[in-house]
Amino acid sequence: MKKQISMYEVHNVYVICAFAAIGGGLFGFDISSMSGVLGTSAYTNYFKVQGSYRQGGITCAMPFGSLVGSLMSSFVADKYSRKSAIMSAAIIWVVGSILQSASNGVPMLIVGRVVAGLSVGIGSTIVPVYQAEIAPKEIRGRVVSLQQWAITWGILIQYFIQYGASYTGGGPNNPHQGTAAFRIPWAVQMIPAIILFSGMWFLPRSPRWLATQDRWEESVRVLADLHGGGDMSHPKVLAEYQEIEESLCFEREYEKSSYRALTEPRMLKRVILGMSIQLWSQLSGVNVMMYYIVYIMETANIGNPLLTASIQYILNVLLTLPAIIFLDKWGRRRSLLFGSLGMMCLMFAVGFLEAQYGQPYHASSGPLSAISWIVVDHPRISKAIVACSYLFVCVFAVTWGPTSWTYPSEIFPSQIRAKAVSITTATNWASNCALAFAVPPMFYSINWRLYMIFATFNGLAFIHMYLTARETKGKTLEEMDEVFDSGRPAWKAVPKGSRLDALQKEIEEGNLKIKAPVETVEVISQSVEPKFS
């Protein structure tokens, strides 16, 4: 039987994963859409956010929506595919952006941010899953890290749009500044979502999702396009097919409901580890450094807080690049450990400098009304505080930023991957929501002591990761059971080599015959990118 399939798809792994990462970029756009307006009179006067609890409520609306979105994402991703879930996230983001840009008060703004949060929750959960299932093991860490890089680009682009818009209506310090200062950026942020939705039509579905649906022919065809130059009999394609099939057969033999499987002792450990990584990522203090960086610059008494804060976002983009390039070489575990140590030291440094050289401060109105502690007449100390905040973001960008998305997306079996990752990502958003609400009043009431708390969290994260985080680099998704169930302590090195490589070698030497369940297929393919091999 001959079946003809007409398609117009991208088959380059880097291009596929980079484009899908725009879904992560939406999170970055949201961060800057809030942090960029905090220093403008238009925003503070229109929404009357002099009270820290009101600002906390507005900020936490988005991570609350993201919490709900991440929990519901697996139902869409498992039933309709990872690709469809990402496309639905793009549509929801456009609706949220419209509501925010048209806000006539705090209630409508909060609704818009909750809706946008639903999109971010779905995207931040499913994009790493989609990338991990598309990529070969050799570059999986690299391409999943593109999610974090897209977030940093979203932060940077939206921040400068916001910075430019802040000068409309007489500038950010004009008490009569018009609402265009925040409406323009909030409307512009729907553009990347429109691009994402349009482009996803030309990307393939996940071969592992297709396999879980018993659509084996399509699965093998996608594997061939991605990793075999279109050759369905390529040894690597056949080896991957064999691994996926054996893994699925094993999972189905002991199948329970997806959520019950998550509570099995061997799997529960991984779920807790994935949740912990997302939790420690937020408790590192990066939430403060991103959402409320303008407050930090104001506390340091910097001349132009908005401009100074923008440098941090540029560093965030640039320093994520080394992680993308080298994460598959230096490994996930090393990134988590060194990142925790570095961030702990820098948080202690900022807290110490503010405690020693700062003083109480009070402003009844305007952007500075959000802070209660300021460094005065110590320009070198102010510069040191700014430098430490820059270094903190640099350390996070190189280590925890990319790894916190990569690690949870690769440690679970195919049958429960989407649900497990939705739970780990929900932990991120639950802690993000709590911190987004709590940080403004804490910043105001305990000021420099807040840095000491986050420094302590980083120290605890170091201990926890040392005892529990196993190295996963160079292993296929189907080999994670061996990595985590071997009984080997986390600090012991994982044996080098991969079962996939051995299987591929046996097929190449003719010692193993594997026939993929593929009909004769005539493919009319217009590939817009060269295939990965």
Side-chain angles (χ1 to χ4, degrees):
M1 179 179 178
K2 199 172 187 178
K3 187 161 65 176
Q4 190 179 80
I5 298 170
S6 179
M7 57 185 177
Y8 189 79
E9 284 187 346
V10 178
H11 296 142
N12 183 286
V13 173
Y14 285 107
V15 174
I16 293 169
C17 293
F19 194 88
I22 294 175
L26 300 180
F27 177 26
F29 267 78
D30 181 84
I31 290 176
S32 280
S33 72
M34 185 50 60
S35 65
V37 300
L38 293 178
T40 65
S41 295
Y43 175 80
T44 55
N45 293 334
Y46 188 83
F47 294 106
K48 298 178 176 61
V49 292
Q50 280 77 13
S52 55
Y53 284 103
R54 172 172 287 202
Q55 180 55 53
I58 293 172
T59 304
C60 80
M62 190 281 294
F64 173 77
S66 299
L67 169 62
V68 177
S70 62
L71 289 173
M72 63 183 281
S73 63
S74 63
F75 297 100
V76 181
D78 283 339
K79 185 172 183 179
Y80 300 106
S81 81
R82 304 357 183 177
K83 175 178 173 177
S84 298
I86 296 170
M87 294 175 76
S88 68
I91 296 172
I92 296 170
W93 177 264
V94 171
V95 175
S97 298
I98 292 172
L99 290 172
Q100 290 178 78
S101 60
S103 295
N104 58 3
V106 172
M108 188 172 177
L109 175 59
I110 288 177
V111 170
R113 286 181 61 76
V114 169
V115 172
L118 291 173
S119 167
V120 173
I122 295 171
S124 62
T125 301
I126 303 305
V127 168
V129 171
Y130 178 73
Q131 292 169 321
E133 293 182 344
I134 286 285
K137 62 181 176 58
E138 294 85 0
I139 61 169
R140 188 175 62 244
R142 183 179 304 171
V143 297
V144 178
S145 295
L146 292 173
Q147 157 94 344
Q148 177 64 19
W149 203 37
I151 292 173
T152 65
W153 272 109
I155 293 171
L156 181 65
I157 293 170
Q158 176 70 339
Y159 189 86
F160 276 111
I161 293 172
Q162 188 66 258
Y163 181 72
S166 71
Y167 284 94
T168 62
N173 296 318
N174 182 2
H176 304 292
Q177 186 182 31
T179 60
F182 57 81
R183 295 195 192 279
I184 291 174
W186 291 350
V188 168
Q189 66 183 0
M190 70 178 72
I191 294 176
I194 295 171
I195 294 172
L196 176 64
F197 178 82
S198 303
M200 286 300 297
W201 287 103
F202 305 107
L203 305 188
R205 299 190 189 277
S206 161
R208 287 172 170 83
W209 177 81
L210 289 168
T212 62
Q213 305 300 304
D214 290 322
R215 294 161 63 173
W216 287 102
E217 293 181 36
E218 295 173 72
S219 176
V220 174
R221 189 182 308 116
V222 173
L223 286 172
D225 288 334
L226 295 174
H227 307 154
D231 181 7
M232 297 182 190
S233 60
H234 191 286
K236 184 170 186 177
V237 174
L238 294 176
E240 282 192 272
Y241 156 70
Q242 178 76 0
E243 272 221 318
I244 294 171
E245 185 186 43
E246 288 180 356
S247 177
L248 276 178
C249 286
F250 178 80
E251 291 168 27
R252 286 170 175 172
E253 185 177 347
Y254 298 96
E255 185 174 20
K256 299 180 180 179
S257 70
S258 295
Y259 283 110
R260 279 190 63 196
L262 294 176
T263 62
E264 288 288 302
R266 56 184 284 272
M267 205 55 61
L268 185 60
K269 291 179 181 178
R270 286 187 236 179
V271 173
I272 293 174
L273 177 59
M275 293 173 66
S276 299
I277 287 175
Q278 292 285 15
L279 177 63
W280 291 128
S281 173
Q282 290 301 310
L283 293 181
S284 68
V286 71
N287 182 286
V288 179
M289 295 297 183
M290 291 299 172
Y291 279 122
Y292 301 114
I293 180 61
V294 172
Y295 290 173
I296 296 171
M297 298 305 169
E298 289 171 347
T299 301
N301 202 17
I302 297 298
N304 189 333
L306 286 173
L307 181 60
T308 311
S310 69
I311 298 173
Q312 179 155 288
Y313 294 137
I314 294 172
L315 292 171
N316 195 20
V317 171
L318 295 178
L319 269 295
T320 303
L321 264 178
I324 293 174
I325 297 171
F326 298 112
L327 185 59
D328 287 306
K329 293 183 178 179
W330 64 44
R332 286 61 155 159
R333 177 178 167 84
R334 190 176 300 174
S335 295
L336 295 172
L337 294 178
F338 282 103
S340 295
L341 272 181
M343 292 188 291
M344 178 187 70
C345 294
L346 290 165
M347 276 294 183
F348 273 133
V350 173
F352 175 78
L353 290 173
E354 289 202 6
Q356 288 294 109
Y357 298 96
Q359 62 186 50
Y361 175 83
H362 175 73
S364 58
S365 62
L368 290 177
S369 62
I371 64 173
S372 64
W373 195 263
I374 194 167
V375 176
V376 180
D377 297 328
H378 294 288
R380 291 185 178 179
I381 300 302
S382 294
K383 290 176 182 177
I385 292 171
V386 172
C388 285
S389 73
Y390 287 165
L391 287 172
F392 177 92
V393 169
C394 290
V395 172
F396 181 85
V398 174
T399 58
W400 275 79
T403 309
S404 63
W405 294 111
T406 301
Y407 201 92
S409 70
E410 63 186 5
I411 63 176
F412 300 106
S414 295
Q415 289 282 78
I416 62 171
R417 185 172 297 123
K419 286 183 172 62
V421 175
S422 76
I423 292 173
T424 62
T425 307
T427 306
N428 178 299
W429 293 116
S431 54
N432 193 316
C433 180
L435 287 169
F437 180 77
V439 163
M442 289 177 70
F443 208 93
Y444 191 88
S445 60
I446 64 174
N447 35 73
W448 59 268
R449 298 172 186 83
L450 185 61
Y451 300 106
M452 300 302 190
I453 293 173
F454 285 123
T456 303
F457 283 143
N458 280 303
L460 294 174
F462 173 83
I463 297 171
H464 187 196
M465 292 301 102
Y466 180 82
L467 295 174
T468 61
R470 288 166 170 79
E471 186 55 69
T472 59
K473 71 171 183 177
K475 302 295 182 181
T476 65
L477 298 179
E478 288 69 37
E479 290 178 293
M480 292 303 160
D481 284 348
E482 296 176 14
V483 172
F484 284 90
D485 300 338
S486 65
R488 186 183 302 107
W491 55 89
K492 294 283 187 180
V494 176
K496 294 183 178 180
S498 169
R499 188 175 63 214
L500 179 67
D501 296 332
L503 194 59
Q504 181 180 344
K505 186 176 180 180
E506 285 193 50
I507 295 172
E508 289 173 345
E509 293 174 350
N511 298 326
L512 181 64
K513 301 293 184 182
I514 296 176
K515 185 178 180 181
V518 181
E519 301 177 39
T520 305
V521 181
E522 182 182 339
V523 182
I524 304 173
S525 177
Q526 299 178 21
S527 177
V528 297
E529 289 290 339
K531 301 174 181 61
F532 177 86
S533 60

